[in-house]
Amino acid sequence: MAANRGYFGIGVEGVSKPYNLGNVFRTAHAFEASFVFTVSAHYSRAEGAKVDTSDALSQMPFYQFDSVGDMLLPKGCQVVGIEITEEAIELPSFRHPTNAVYVLGAERQGLTADMQARCTHVVKIPMRFSINLGMAGAIVMYDRLVTRGRFAPRPVRAGGPTEPAPKHVHGAPAFRVPGGGSMEKWRKPAPMAEVAEARAKD
């Protein structure tokens, strides 16, 4: 899988169908999610295992929160709700945060008002009607991979890429003043006299 900086987790609020949730967890495992969770939901691992053939919960952390107020997330992690609302950002126009958790709503009910208030962003998948919970989660995770990962650029014509994926470039030190001038006052000459003295004693 292409390198992708940051981390993400995905979870569901108030789900009643363990098959759908098991599907989300299995897909999250495939997309290398850092963790999965539920909010106000009971998950039967035995039932979910019928579709979660990768046994995702044995491969990554799983958290169960009793309510929205109990959600405990890493500092700086942004909450992205997946819900069809007038104000929601269409997924193709959304820039995924480096560190994020994605939350899906229960079948038919969607995300509660409390959860939407907790969200930093709310996104929607542009389509004629809502789709299966597991499918929606897969689309969002795939979009994150495509937009944040490193892949060869798509060609203008139909078919595969005509050039390789860009190589990863490690960041260089950043200075406020070109050439690192702001650090000059801390720079001292190398203590060569002390080095020579130490060598003489050897």
mmCIF file of all heavy atoms in Angstrom, residues 81-122:
data_model
loop_
_atom_site.group_PDB
_atom_site.id
_atom_site.type_symbol
_atom_site.label_atom_id
_atom_site.label_comp_id
_atom_site.label_asym_id
_atom_site.label_seq_id
_atom_site.Cartn_x
_atom_site.Cartn_y
_atom_site.Cartn_z
ATOM 1 N N GLY A 81 -17.706 13.273 10.427
ATOM 2 C CA GLY A 81 -18.955 12.542 10.338
ATOM 3 C C GLY A 81 -19.308 12.243 8.887
ATOM 4 O O GLY A 81 -19.020 13.050 7.994
ATOM 5 N N ILE A 82 -19.914 11.092 8.654
ATOM 6 C CA ILE A 82 -20.354 10.714 7.310
ATOM 7 C C ILE A 82 -21.871 10.697 7.338
ATOM 8 O O ILE A 82 -22.489 9.801 7.915
ATOM 9 C CB ILE A 82 -19.798 9.333 6.917
ATOM 10 C CG1 ILE A 82 -18.266 9.339 7.037
ATOM 11 C CG2 ILE A 82 -20.219 8.962 5.499
ATOM 12 C CD1 ILE A 82 -17.633 7.974 6.952
ATOM 13 N N GLU A 83 -22.478 11.720 6.754
ATOM 14 C CA GLU A 83 -23.921 11.907 6.867
ATOM 15 C C GLU A 83 -24.423 12.770 5.715
ATOM 16 O O GLU A 83 -23.720 13.676 5.248
ATOM 17 C CB GLU A 83 -24.251 12.572 8.199
ATOM 18 C CG GLU A 83 -25.717 12.736 8.505
ATOM 19 C CD GLU A 83 -26.435 11.403 8.602
ATOM 20 O OE1 GLU A 83 -26.464 10.806 9.681
ATOM 21 O OE2 GLU A 83 -26.935 10.945 7.551
ATOM 22 N N ILE A 84 -25.626 12.498 5.269
ATOM 23 C CA ILE A 84 -26.226 13.289 4.194
ATOM 24 C C ILE A 84 -26.992 14.452 4.814
ATOM 25 O O ILE A 84 -28.073 14.269 5.378
ATOM 26 C CB ILE A 84 -27.169 12.438 3.328
ATOM 27 C CG1 ILE A 84 -26.400 11.276 2.685
ATOM 28 C CG2 ILE A 84 -27.823 13.292 2.235
ATOM 29 C CD1 ILE A 84 -27.268 10.302 1.912
ATOM 30 N N THR A 85 -26.414 15.641 4.752
ATOM 31 C CA THR A 85 -27.073 16.858 5.227
ATOM 32 C C THR A 85 -26.851 17.955 4.189
ATOM 33 O O THR A 85 -25.986 17.832 3.309
ATOM 34 C CB THR A 85 -26.506 17.327 6.584
ATOM 35 O OG1 THR A 85 -25.150 17.774 6.399
ATOM 36 C CG2 THR A 85 -26.528 16.206 7.619
ATOM 37 N N GLU A 86 -27.607 19.028 4.304
ATOM 38 C CA GLU A 86 -27.459 20.141 3.359
ATOM 39 C C GLU A 86 -26.087 20.786 3.466
ATOM 40 O O GLU A 86 -25.505 21.228 2.476
ATOM 41 C CB GLU A 86 -28.552 21.188 3.630
ATOM 42 C CG GLU A 86 -29.946 20.752 3.234
ATOM 43 C CD GLU A 86 -30.103 20.579 1.732
ATOM 44 O OE1 GLU A 86 -29.416 21.304 0.976
ATOM 45 O OE2 GLU A 86 -30.885 19.700 1.321
ATOM 46 N N GLU A 87 -25.547 20.839 4.687
ATOM 47 C CA GLU A 87 -24.276 21.524 4.913
ATOM 48 C C GLU A 87 -23.068 20.631 4.701
ATOM 49 O O GLU A 87 -21.931 21.115 4.683
ATOM 50 C CB GLU A 87 -24.232 22.081 6.350
ATOM 51 C CG GLU A 87 -25.301 23.114 6.682
ATOM 52 C CD GLU A 87 -26.657 22.466 6.958
ATOM 53 O OE1 GLU A 87 -26.688 21.244 7.231
ATOM 54 O OE2 GLU A 87 -27.672 23.176 6.887
ATOM 55 N N ALA A 88 -23.269 19.323 4.556
ATOM 56 C CA ALA A 88 -22.140 18.395 4.440
ATOM 57 C C ALA A 88 -21.300 18.686 3.198
ATOM 58 O O ALA A 88 -21.813 19.092 2.152
ATOM 59 C CB ALA A 88 -22.641 16.950 4.409
ATOM 60 N N ILE A 89 -19.994 18.456 3.325
ATOM 61 C CA ILE A 89 -19.058 18.646 2.215
ATOM 62 C C ILE A 89 -19.095 17.398 1.335
ATOM 63 O O ILE A 89 -19.047 16.280 1.834
ATOM 64 C CB ILE A 89 -17.628 18.848 2.741
ATOM 65 C CG1 ILE A 89 -17.574 20.005 3.734
ATOM 66 C CG2 ILE A 89 -16.654 19.076 1.582
ATOM 67 C CD1 ILE A 89 -16.289 20.036 4.547
ATOM 68 N N GLU A 90 -19.194 17.585 0.032
ATOM 69 C CA GLU A 90 -19.170 16.434 -0.863
ATOM 70 C C GLU A 90 -17.777 15.812 -0.844
ATOM 71 O O GLU A 90 -16.760 16.514 -0.934
ATOM 72 C CB GLU A 90 -19.568 16.845 -2.273
ATOM 73 C CG GLU A 90 -21.037 17.240 -2.378
ATOM 74 C CD GLU A 90 -21.499 17.384 -3.817
ATOM 75 O OE1 GLU A 90 -20.697 17.878 -4.639
ATOM 76 O OE2 GLU A 90 -22.641 17.004 -4.111
ATOM 77 N N LEU A 91 -17.730 14.510 -0.695
ATOM 78 C CA LEU A 91 -16.464 13.796 -0.504
ATOM 79 C C LEU A 91 -15.404 14.124 -1.554
ATOM 80 O O LEU A 91 -14.235 14.310 -1.193
ATOM 81 C CB LEU A 91 -16.738 12.283 -0.457
ATOM 82 C CG LEU A 91 -15.548 11.388 -0.120
ATOM 83 C CD1 LEU A 91 -14.996 11.725 1.258
ATOM 84 C CD2 LEU A 91 -15.953 9.921 -0.195
ATOM 85 N N PRO A 92 -15.718 14.221 -2.850
ATOM 86 C CA PRO A 92 -14.667 14.537 -3.823
ATOM 87 C C PRO A 92 -14.030 15.903 -3.626
ATOM 88 O O PRO A 92 -12.945 16.164 -4.171
ATOM 89 C CB PRO A 92 -15.406 14.466 -5.174
ATOM 90 C CG PRO A 92 -16.572 13.573 -4.924
ATOM 91 C CD PRO A 92 -16.999 13.888 -3.524
ATOM 92 N N SER A 93 -14.684 16.789 -2.873
ATOM 93 C CA SER A 93 -14.148 18.137 -2.630
ATOM 94 C C SER A 93 -13.533 18.270 -1.244
ATOM 95 O O SER A 93 -13.165 19.375 -0.838
ATOM 96 C CB SER A 93 -15.259 19.176 -2.779
ATOM 97 O OG SER A 93 -15.832 19.133 -4.067
ATOM 98 N N PHE A 94 -13.420 17.167 -0.519
ATOM 99 C CA PHE A 94 -12.960 17.205 0.877
ATOM 100 C C PHE A 94 -11.490 16.830 0.981
ATOM 101 O O PHE A 94 -11.043 15.865 0.372
ATOM 102 C CB PHE A 94 -13.802 16.225 1.704
ATOM 103 C CG PHE A 94 -13.412 16.152 3.156
ATOM 104 C CD1 PHE A 94 -13.569 17.247 3.990
ATOM 105 C CD2 PHE A 94 -12.899 14.974 3.679
ATOM 106 C CE1 PHE A 94 -13.217 17.172 5.329
ATOM 107 C CE2 PHE A 94 -12.554 14.893 5.025
ATOM 108 C CZ PHE A 94 -12.711 16.002 5.853
ATOM 109 N N ARG A 95 -10.742 17.626 1.755
ATOM 110 C CA ARG A 95 -9.345 17.283 2.039
ATOM 111 C C ARG A 95 -9.295 16.590 3.396
ATOM 112 O O ARG A 95 -9.648 17.171 4.413
ATOM 113 C CB ARG A 95 -8.452 18.535 2.054
ATOM 114 C CG ARG A 95 -6.972 18.200 2.295
ATOM 115 C CD ARG A 95 -6.102 19.438 2.175
ATOM 116 N NE ARG A 95 -6.086 19.974 0.824
ATOM 117 C CZ ARG A 95 -5.340 19.506 -0.180
ATOM 118 N NH1 ARG A 95 -4.543 18.465 0.031
ATOM 119 N NH2 ARG A 95 -5.382 20.053 -1.366
ATOM 120 N N HIS A 96 -8.865 15.360 3.401
ATOM 121 C CA HIS A 96 -8.848 14.573 4.632
ATOM 122 C C HIS A 96 -7.789 15.094 5.603
ATOM 123 O O HIS A 96 -6.652 15.379 5.193
ATOM 124 C CB HIS A 96 -8.552 13.108 4.320
ATOM 125 C CG HIS A 96 -9.631 12.441 3.529
ATOM 126 N ND1 HIS A 96 -10.615 11.676 4.118
ATOM 127 C CD2 HIS A 96 -9.895 12.430 2.193
ATOM 128 C CE1 HIS A 96 -11.425 11.205 3.180
ATOM 129 N NE2 HIS A 96 -11.012 11.650 2.004
ATOM 130 N N PRO A 97 -8.121 15.213 6.887
ATOM 131 C CA PRO A 97 -7.122 15.613 7.886
ATOM 132 C C PRO A 97 -6.025 14.559 7.999
ATOM 133 O O PRO A 97 -6.258 13.374 7.721
ATOM 134 C CB PRO A 97 -7.930 15.693 9.189
ATOM 135 C CG PRO A 97 -9.361 15.793 8.765
ATOM 136 C CD PRO A 97 -9.459 15.041 7.483
ATOM 137 N N THR A 98 -4.850 14.982 8.404
ATOM 138 C CA THR A 98 -3.750 14.032 8.589
ATOM 139 C C THR A 98 -4.124 12.988 9.635
ATOM 140 O O THR A 98 -3.909 11.794 9.457
ATOM 141 C CB THR A 98 -2.469 14.771 9.013
ATOM 142 O OG1 THR A 98 -2.141 15.754 8.027
ATOM 143 C CG2 THR A 98 -1.305 13.805 9.163
ATOM 144 N N ASN A 99 -4.690 13.447 10.749
ATOM 145 C CA ASN A 99 -5.111 12.559 11.828
ATOM 146 C C ASN A 99 -6.619 12.708 12.012
ATOM 147 O O ASN A 99 -7.094 13.802 12.317
ATOM 148 C CB ASN A 99 -4.378 12.903 13.122
ATOM 149 C CG ASN A 99 -2.865 12.854 12.956
ATOM 150 O OD1 ASN A 99 -2.341 11.937 12.324
ATOM 151 N ND2 ASN A 99 -2.170 13.836 13.485
ATOM 152 N N ALA A 100 -7.361 11.625 11.817
ATOM 153 C CA ALA A 100 -8.815 11.745 11.838
ATOM 154 C C ALA A 100 -9.492 10.464 12.286
ATOM 155 O O ALA A 100 -8.918 9.372 12.212
ATOM 156 C CB ALA A 100 -9.327 12.117 10.443
ATOM 157 N N VAL A 101 -10.718 10.619 12.780
ATOM 158 C CA VAL A 101 -11.611 9.478 12.974
ATOM 159 C C VAL A 101 -12.852 9.753 12.145
ATOM 160 O O VAL A 101 -13.323 10.891 12.046
ATOM 161 C CB VAL A 101 -11.997 9.254 14.458
ATOM 162 C CG1 VAL A 101 -10.800 8.858 15.271
ATOM 163 C CG2 VAL A 101 -12.683 10.464 15.049
ATOM 164 N N TYR A 102 -13.378 8.702 11.532
ATOM 165 C CA TYR A 102 -14.578 8.794 10.714
ATOM 166 C C TYR A 102 -15.706 8.072 11.441
ATOM 167 O O TYR A 102 -15.501 6.981 11.986
ATOM 168 C CB TYR A 102 -14.330 8.176 9.337
ATOM 169 C CG TYR A 102 -13.210 8.856 8.585
ATOM 170 C CD1 TYR A 102 -11.887 8.442 8.732
ATOM 171 C CD2 TYR A 102 -13.460 9.949 7.766
ATOM 172 C CE1 TYR A 102 -10.844 9.085 8.079
ATOM 173 C CE2 TYR A 102 -12.428 10.596 7.094
ATOM 174 C CZ TYR A 102 -11.129 10.160 7.257
ATOM 175 O OH TYR A 102 -10.100 10.811 6.611
ATOM 176 N N VAL A 103 -16.880 8.705 11.462
ATOM 177 C CA VAL A 103 -18.011 8.136 12.193
ATOM 178 C C VAL A 103 -19.201 7.979 11.260
ATOM 179 O O VAL A 103 -19.621 8.932 10.595
ATOM 180 C CB VAL A 103 -18.417 9.020 13.382
ATOM 181 C CG1 VAL A 103 -19.457 8.299 14.235
ATOM 182 C CG2 VAL A 103 -17.224 9.394 14.227
ATOM 183 N N LEU A 104 -19.739 6.762 11.221
ATOM 184 C CA LEU A 104 -20.945 6.465 10.454
ATOM 185 C C LEU A 104 -22.116 6.350 11.411
ATOM 186 O O LEU A 104 -21.950 5.965 12.574
ATOM 187 C CB LEU A 104 -20.773 5.139 9.710
ATOM 188 C CG LEU A 104 -19.683 5.107 8.635
ATOM 189 C CD1 LEU A 104 -18.995 3.757 8.616
ATOM 190 C CD2 LEU A 104 -20.270 5.421 7.277
ATOM 191 N N GLY A 105 -23.310 6.664 10.923
ATOM 192 C CA GLY A 105 -24.510 6.579 11.757
ATOM 193 C C GLY A 105 -25.209 5.247 11.617
ATOM 194 O O GLY A 105 -24.942 4.473 10.697
ATOM 195 N N ALA A 106 -26.117 4.978 12.536
ATOM 196 C CA ALA A 106 -26.884 3.733 12.512
ATOM 197 C C ALA A 106 -27.797 3.683 11.290
ATOM 198 O O ALA A 106 -28.151 4.713 10.719
ATOM 199 C CB ALA A 106 -27.717 3.620 13.788
ATOM 200 N N GLU A 107 -28.177 2.463 10.909
ATOM 201 C CA GLU A 107 -29.091 2.295 9.793
ATOM 202 C C GLU A 107 -30.383 3.066 10.049
ATOM 203 O O GLU A 107 -30.951 2.997 11.126
ATOM 204 C CB GLU A 107 -29.424 0.811 9.584
ATOM 205 C CG GLU A 107 -28.220 -0.068 9.311
ATOM 206 C CD GLU A 107 -27.625 -0.661 10.574
ATOM 207 O OE1 GLU A 107 -27.937 -0.148 11.670
ATOM 208 O OE2 GLU A 107 -26.849 -1.624 10.472
ATOM 209 N N ARG A 108 -30.797 3.829 9.053
ATOM 210 C CA ARG A 108 -32.044 4.600 9.058
ATOM 211 C C ARG A 108 -31.981 5.847 9.947
ATOM 212 O O ARG A 108 -32.511 6.887 9.578
ATOM 213 C CB ARG A 108 -33.239 3.730 9.475
ATOM 214 C CG ARG A 108 -33.496 2.572 8.533
ATOM 215 C CD ARG A 108 -34.756 1.823 8.902
ATOM 216 N NE ARG A 108 -34.985 0.688 8.006
ATOM 217 C CZ ARG A 108 -36.020 -0.136 8.110
ATOM 218 N NH1 ARG A 108 -36.924 0.035 9.070
ATOM 219 N NH2 ARG A 108 -36.149 -1.137 7.253
ATOM 220 N N GLN A 109 -31.353 5.786 11.117
ATOM 221 C CA GLN A 109 -31.319 6.962 11.995
ATOM 222 C C GLN A 109 -30.219 7.955 11.633
ATOM 223 O O GLN A 109 -30.365 9.151 11.796
ATOM 224 C CB GLN A 109 -31.141 6.534 13.458
ATOM 225 C CG GLN A 109 -32.377 5.931 14.093
ATOM 226 C CD GLN A 109 -32.523 4.451 13.757
ATOM 227 O OE1 GLN A 109 -31.529 3.785 13.485
ATOM 228 N NE2 GLN A 109 -33.741 3.953 13.761
ATOM 229 N N GLY A 110 -29.071 7.453 11.176
ATOM 230 C CA GLY A 110 -27.947 8.332 10.883
ATOM 231 C C GLY A 110 -27.267 8.819 12.141
ATOM 232 O O GLY A 110 -27.502 8.304 13.245
ATOM 233 N N LEU A 111 -26.425 9.820 12.018
ATOM 234 C CA LEU A 111 -25.716 10.377 13.165
ATOM 235 C C LEU A 111 -26.654 11.226 14.014
ATOM 236 O O LEU A 111 -27.462 11.983 13.491
ATOM 237 C CB LEU A 111 -24.535 11.240 12.714
ATOM 238 C CG LEU A 111 -23.397 10.542 11.969
ATOM 239 C CD1 LEU A 111 -22.356 11.562 11.539
ATOM 240 C CD2 LEU A 111 -22.757 9.454 12.835
ATOM 241 N N THR A 112 -26.522 11.113 15.328
ATOM 242 C CA THR A 112 -27.341 11.917 16.234
ATOM 243 C C THR A 112 -26.882 13.374 16.195
ATOM 244 O O THR A 112 -25.781 13.687 15.737
ATOM 245 C CB THR A 112 -27.241 11.398 17.669
ATOM 246 O OG1 THR A 112 -25.872 11.548 18.124
ATOM 247 C CG2 THR A 112 -27.657 9.938 17.760
ATOM 248 N N ALA A 113 -27.723 14.252 16.713
ATOM 249 C CA ALA A 113 -27.370 15.677 16.772
ATOM 250 C C ALA A 113 -26.134 15.884 17.644
ATOM 251 O O ALA A 113 -25.278 16.724 17.342
ATOM 252 C CB ALA A 113 -28.550 16.481 17.312
ATOM 253 N N ASP A 114 -26.023 15.122 18.730
ATOM 254 C CA ASP A 114 -24.854 15.243 19.609
ATOM 255 C C ASP A 114 -23.576 14.869 18.873
ATOM 256 O O ASP A 114 -22.540 15.523 19.033
ATOM 257 C CB ASP A 114 -25.023 14.352 20.841
ATOM 258 C CG ASP A 114 -26.046 14.901 21.825
ATOM 259 O OD1 ASP A 114 -26.410 16.087 21.697
ATOM 260 O OD2 ASP A 114 -26.479 14.137 22.716
ATOM 261 N N MET A 115 -23.640 13.816 18.068
ATOM 262 C CA MET A 115 -22.448 13.401 17.337
ATOM 263 C C MET A 115 -22.093 14.421 16.263
ATOM 264 O O MET A 115 -20.909 14.748 16.077
ATOM 265 C CB MET A 115 -22.655 12.026 16.696
ATOM 266 C CG MET A 115 -21.441 11.523 15.912
ATOM 267 S SD MET A 115 -19.953 11.325 16.924
ATOM 268 C CE MET A 115 -20.326 9.739 17.710
ATOM 269 N N GLN A 116 -23.084 14.938 15.562
ATOM 270 C CA GLN A 116 -22.795 15.940 14.538
ATOM 271 C C GLN A 116 -22.172 17.187 15.158
ATOM 272 O O GLN A 116 -21.296 17.820 14.555
ATOM 273 C CB GLN A 116 -24.067 16.293 13.768
ATOM 274 C CG GLN A 116 -24.573 15.154 12.895
ATOM 275 C CD GLN A 116 -25.716 15.566 11.991
ATOM 276 O OE1 GLN A 116 -25.662 16.597 11.337
ATOM 277 N NE2 GLN A 116 -26.775 14.756 11.950
ATOM 278 N N ALA A 117 -22.607 17.520 16.366
ATOM 279 C CA ALA A 117 -22.022 18.675 17.053
ATOM 280 C C ALA A 117 -20.567 18.401 17.434
ATOM 281 O O ALA A 117 -19.761 19.326 17.536
ATOM 282 C CB ALA A 117 -22.838 19.008 18.296
ATOM 283 N N ARG A 118 -20.229 17.149 17.649
ATOM 284 C CA ARG A 118 -18.861 16.771 18.028
ATOM 285 C C ARG A 118 -17.930 16.770 16.817
ATOM 286 O O ARG A 118 -16.701 16.855 16.961
ATOM 287 C CB ARG A 118 -18.887 15.373 18.677
ATOM 288 C CG ARG A 118 -17.525 14.815 19.084
ATOM 289 C CD ARG A 118 -16.960 15.529 20.301
ATOM 290 N NE ARG A 118 -15.602 15.113 20.571
ATOM 291 C CZ ARG A 118 -15.261 14.062 21.337
ATOM 292 N NH1 ARG A 118 -16.206 13.327 21.892
ATOM 293 N NH2 ARG A 118 -13.998 13.772 21.553
ATOM 294 N N CYS A 119 -18.504 16.676 15.623
ATOM 295 C CA CYS A 119 -17.697 16.563 14.413
ATOM 296 C C CYS A 119 -16.998 17.868 14.041
ATOM 297 O O CYS A 119 -17.577 18.946 14.145
ATOM 298 C CB CYS A 119 -18.567 16.116 13.237
ATOM 299 S SG CYS A 119 -19.194 14.426 13.382
ATOM 300 N N THR A 120 -15.770 17.753 13.597
ATOM 301 C CA THR A 120 -15.039 18.884 13.038
ATOM 302 C C THR A 120 -15.522 19.144 11.616
ATOM 303 O O THR A 120 -15.622 20.290 11.177
ATOM 304 C CB THR A 120 -13.527 18.591 13.013
ATOM 305 O OG1 THR A 120 -13.116 18.071 14.276
ATOM 306 C CG2 THR A 120 -12.738 19.852 12.698
ATOM 307 N N HIS A 121 -15.815 18.072 10.897
ATOM 308 C CA HIS A 121 -16.321 18.147 9.523
ATOM 309 C C HIS A 121 -17.406 17.094 9.351
ATOM 310 O O HIS A 121 -17.391 16.058 10.019
ATOM 311 C CB HIS A 121 -15.215 17.863 8.495
ATOM 312 C CG HIS A 121 -13.949 18.619 8.711
ATOM 313 N ND1 HIS A 121 -13.788 19.938 8.337
ATOM 314 C CD2 HIS A 121 -12.766 18.236 9.272
ATOM 315 C CE1 HIS A 121 -12.565 20.329 8.646
ATOM 316 N NE2 HIS A 121 -11.921 19.323 9.216
ATOM 317 N N VAL A 122 -18.335 17.353 8.437
ATOM 318 C CA VAL A 122 -19.327 16.352 8.029
ATOM 319 C C VAL A 122 -19.247 16.244 6.518
ATOM 320 O O VAL A 122 -19.281 17.252 5.808
ATOM 321 C CB VAL A 122 -20.750 16.741 8.466
ATOM 322 C CG1 VAL A 122 -21.765 15.710 7.951
ATOM 323 C CG2 VAL A 122 -20.843 16.843 9.983
#
